[in-house]
Each structure stands twice: as structure tokens, then as C-alpha cells.
Amino acid sequence: EVFCTLPSEKAVYLDASDGQVGGFTSLVADTTPQLGGNLDVNGQDIVSVSNADIDIIPNGTGDVNLGADTVQVGDNDADATITTQGTGDLTLNTNNGTNSGTVTIADGANGNITLTPNGTGDVILSADSVSVGDSGAAATLTSNGAGTLTVTTGGTTDLVLSTNSGTASGTITITDAANQPITLTPNGTGVVAIEGSM
């Protein structure tokens, strides 16, 4: 028979305010803590102090998976930035890249932003207005290869070509519908000039 007593300094109990006395109360002493189950934040946040970063670093080729329908980035009412941590490109795709087009932002000075649909997919700009070119600089639309460059509207609307959002600009109007004209309209006293050999 073995009889033993529990020294009071080894006891774990709750005080009159239900505060824990004794036992394991801090992770500071454990440099490699591990969870035995899921971590439930119970409505609380994971925060840092002194403006320190919160790093989530998987081992080796492991990834960080955010299993949510919506992921919010940025402080409330502040601008948000998604960037790579080093000199790698930033690629956006779906379903781990399976049958997905990509948006690639190349790292490096003067790097391109490349929109690459999958297969015969297209790049669709669903906007009433699309601006091309830097402010005050010449802009160029060109074919990416030996194929024909085609500019068309997405529905039964006319196609109008002008400069500077139409400010003090003549227009070339391609009217939608069968047997309709192509109209060249100079601005003010401007003329339609055809230069070169005919």
C-alpha cells in the first residue's frame, strides 16, 4: 500500500472568482506547442502586439488553405494589397489551375500583366467603357501573332472609334444591322484625309 499527499503548490483549482490557480496557464515556456484537436477561437481573434506580423508558414510544400466562401483582406475602410513575399510572379486561377485561365502579374520592373484564357476561352471586358493606354501616351491594339485583330461589340450596338473619350475628336462609326453604312465624322472643320497610293 502506498499513501501520498498532494502538495498545495502542485494543486490546480479555481479561486473564488473562478480563476485558475496553478497548472498550465501559458504557452511561453513551450517552444514547440502542438494541438491535440481543432483550435476553436470561440468568437475571439488571433492578434499580435507592437505591430508585429502574424505568419502562417507551412512546412516544405504544404499550403495554407482558407476554407471559406469569402476571404476579406485589409483593415476596415483601408486599401488592401495582395502581393508575393519575394520575387515570384502572382498568378490567379481556379480549382488549383485545373481547366482554368490565369491572370499573371509578372514580378520585375516593367513586367507585363497577362490574361490567359483556357483553351478557346475569351477575355471578356463587361464594361460600358474601356480605356487603353497611359495618360497622355500613344496606345496600340495589336494581334498577338499572325492572326487577324478583330474589334467588335458584345451585342447589337454600334462600334464607335474616337480619341480621348470623344473629347474634340472625330469618330468612325460602324453601325450594327445589315446593309448599314460606316460613317467617318471629322470634328469641327476637320476633314477625312486619305494619304498614300490608291
Side-chain angles (χ1 to χ4, degrees):
E1 295 182 2
V2 177
F3 177 80
C4 63
T5 59
L6 176 65
S8 61
E9 64 271 14
K10 300 296 184 180
V12 180
Y13 58 92
L14 299 180
D15 60 17
S17 301
D18 289 335
Q20 179 177 325
V21 177
F24 187 71
T25 60
S26 174
L27 292 174
V28 174
D30 191 344
T31 58
T32 57
Q34 294 181 332
L35 297 176
N38 294 330
L39 176 62
D40 186 353
V41 296
N42 194 28
Q44 304 300 314
D45 297 325
I46 299 175
V47 301
S48 64
V49 296
S50 302
N51 300 315
D53 294 335
I54 297 176
D55 296 328
I56 302 176
I57 304 176
N59 178 264
T61 58
D63 295 320
V64 175
N65 298 317
L66 302 176
D69 297 332
T70 301
V71 176
Q72 297 181 358
V73 180
D75 297 332
N76 189 29
D77 298 327
D79 295 337
T81 300
I82 298 177
T83 183
T84 61
Q85 194 167 351
T87 58
D89 298 344
L90 178 64
T91 302
L92 304 178
N93 60 31
T94 66
N95 197 19
N96 293 318
T98 303
N99 294 328
S100 171
T102 60
V103 177
T104 302
I105 303 175
D107 177 73
N110 305 312
N112 294 330
I113 297 176
T114 305
L115 284 71
T116 308
N118 179 268
T120 58
D122 297 319
V123 175
I124 300 174
L125 304 176
S126 298
D128 296 333
S129 177
V130 176
S131 299
V132 179
D134 297 331
S135 178
T140 301
L141 289 176
T142 183
S143 173
N144 197 32
T148 302
L149 175 65
T150 301
V151 179
T152 182
T153 62
T156 58
T157 57
D158 298 344
L159 176 64
V160 179
L161 303 178
S162 65
T163 66
N164 197 19
S165 300
T167 302
S169 169
T171 60
I172 299 175
T173 302
I174 302 175
T175 305
D176 179 73
N179 306 313
Q180 295 301 307
I182 297 175
T183 305
L184 285 71
T185 308
N187 180 267
T189 58
V191 299
V192 175
I194 300 176
E195 300 180 358
S197 301
M198 294 292 295

